[in-house]
Amino acid sequence: MFTPHGPTLRELAVQALSSVEHGYDLLAPKFDHTPFRTPDAILDAVARALGPVGPFGHGLDLCCGTGAGMEVLRELCTQSVTGVDISAGMLTVGRGRVGATSGGPRLGETQVPRVSWVRGDARALPFGSVFDVVVSFGAFGHFLPRELPGLFGQVHSVLRPGGRFAFPVVAPAPPSSPWYWALLAFDTAMRVRNAVWRPPFVMYYRAFRLGDVRRELRRAGFTVELRELPEFGRRRDGSPRCRLVVATREGGAAPA
């Protein structure tokens, strides 16, 4: 499927009938050869948008997977970069691909940030208020709408006052688009699967709605800003195809 190095249809079926954690453990060795990995174009656009806001001291990639977002943070952070994910398999692949550094000087006498990998649940983060920026890419379909208050509360708790929580949001496809019906069919299939099979595999592409997200971020104590990512253009109605949500924990500027 997808590429010669990607998972087979049988492997995808086995993964889909597993739990989220075990499914990603199985998928991990081939994950970067699937469309599930965040495209480089989105990663680069987010890095450019956050560049003027930084540099940051300590960064966290929430639900980091194999570490695509870690590369973004390594360009934005001066002291440390941490990835957290529930899947040990994904962390193993990420650690092998991105590695871990102890920090040290580089050109211009800036620091190479320390890189670390932590297995943990985003709904119960094992950190104090130590981060200046948290990013996340493509993970929110794994959380039910009722879980957003707790999830955003966890992110708020690990940010320092003035810290930022940033993630891209792609505009939903209109009903005239084949993608609208493809995603609707996928979500419907996943809901049927979870109704008849245990353990559940939560992965709903259409459940993360921008209006709900903004409301729950504000309830969690963030101020919320939307920034257009102009690299992706606009829809026919003039709205951006892709936005960056930048939620700031109130209380002052985050130290760099």
Side-chain angles (χ1 to χ4, degrees):
M1 291 289 288
F2 312 125
T3 75
H5 303 290
T8 65
L9 182 60
R10 180 181 181 279
E11 287 173 327
L12 285 174
V14 171
Q15 292 150 15
L17 293 175
S18 305
S19 65
V20 174
E21 178 182 345
H22 186 53
Y24 275 103
D25 285 345
L26 295 172
L27 180 60
K30 299 182 178 181
F31 179 81
D32 288 339
H33 301 287
T34 72
F36 307 131
R37 180 190 182 275
T38 302
D40 287 340
I42 291 181
L43 297 170
D44 293 343
V46 170
R48 283 190 290 269
L50 288 178
V53 183
F56 304 97
H58 302 276
L60 174 68
D61 185 2
L62 186 74
C63 305
C64 65
T66 57
M70 301 280 278
E71 298 284 10
V72 173
L73 287 178
R74 291 211 298 180
E75 295 299 316
L76 297 171
C77 297
T78 59
Q79 297 182 52
S80 74
V81 172
T82 302
V84 62
D85 200 277
I86 198 171
S87 167
M90 299 286 274
L91 292 171
T92 297
V93 173
R95 189 179 293 109
R97 186 175 65 82
V98 179
T101 60
S102 59
R106 62 180 177 183
L107 293 178
E109 299 183 352
T110 58
Q111 289 290 114
V112 176
R114 299 183 305 275
V115 176
S116 59
W117 306 80
V118 177
R119 183 173 178 271
D121 191 331
R123 294 163 295 191
L125 291 172
F127 311 108
S129 302
V130 296
F131 295 105
D132 305 303
V133 62
V134 176
V135 298
S136 193
F137 296 91
F140 296 117
H142 295 301
F143 300 96
L144 297 171
R146 66 173 180 269
E147 295 178 300
L148 291 186
L151 176 65
F152 293 161
Q154 284 292 299
V155 176
H156 188 275
S157 73
V158 303
L159 280 169
R160 296 176 178 179
R164 270 84 173 203
F165 178 29
F167 51 90
V169 174
V170 178
S176 58
S177 168
W179 281 108
Y180 175 91
W181 298 103
L183 294 177
L184 177 61
F186 180 89
D187 280 11
T188 301
M190 290 303 295
R191 292 184 186 280
V192 171
R193 176 256 186 243
N194 289 335
V196 302
W197 192 268
R198 292 290 183 272
F201 192 106
V202 176
M203 187 175 181
Y204 300 129
Y205 283 108
R206 302 173 69 252
F208 194 70
R209 303 180 186 278
L210 185 56
D212 297 337
V213 168
R214 295 176 70 182
R215 181 179 65 252
E216 296 302 339
L217 284 169
R218 291 188 181 110
R219 286 181 178 175
F222 290 100
T223 58
V224 183
E225 175 187 0
L226 299 180
R227 301 186 181 187
E228 179 181 352
L229 296 178
E231 296 89 341
F232 302 98
R234 291 177 169 267
R235 304 199 299 173
R236 290 183 179 179
D237 62 3
S239 61
R241 293 185 184 277
C242 192
R243 293 182 172 99
L244 182 67
V245 177
V246 181
T248 303
R249 175 174 173 171
E250 298 178 356

